[in-house]
Amino acid sequence: LDVIVMNSSLIVCELKSSIDKAGMYSFERKARFYERRHGRRADRLMVISPMIDARARQVGERLGIEMYGDSIQVETL
């Protein structure tokens, strides 16, 4: 779990070589724990992985997690 603060925006990011459905749920739980612990809501949740399982992609879409295959694909705000 990586936390990035840029221009006062809080981004919670996970960099993984691959992620499956369970990994996506785990990331979401860690991100929510961070939010509760620090009392601040994340502006963006994102997973960067070249291999995202199809079921993990469905979970990520439902949970509002941005998914990228490579870090150069991430759009900055």
Side-chain angles (χ1 to χ4, degrees):
L1 184 71
D2 295 301
V3 177
I4 304 161
V5 178
M6 184 172 65
N7 297 330
S8 73
S9 291
L10 176 63
I11 303 168
V12 178
C13 178
E14 184 90 304
L15 296 165
K16 298 193 59 103
S17 59
S18 67
I19 190 162
D20 60 5
K21 182 179 172 181
M24 195 66 76
Y25 280 119
S26 176
F27 167 67
E28 198 263 346
R29 284 192 307 273
K30 289 189 283 185
R32 299 305 175 205
F33 174 78
Y34 178 89
E35 290 176 337
R36 284 191 309 276
R37 177 75 170 88
H38 295 278
R40 182 166 178 204
R41 183 114 174 118
D43 297 302
R44 296 171 75 180
L45 298 179
M46 66 176 68
V47 169
I48 301 171
S49 175
M51 296 181 358
I52 301 174
D53 182 76
R55 292 178 296 173
R57 192 169 292 281
Q58 292 173 346
V59 170
E61 288 172 1
R62 192 173 69 246
L63 296 175
I65 299 170
E66 299 174 34
M67 295 165 279
Y68 300 97
D70 193 317
S71 61
I72 62 173
Q73 296 173 335
V74 177
E75 301 169 16
T76 58
L77 296 176

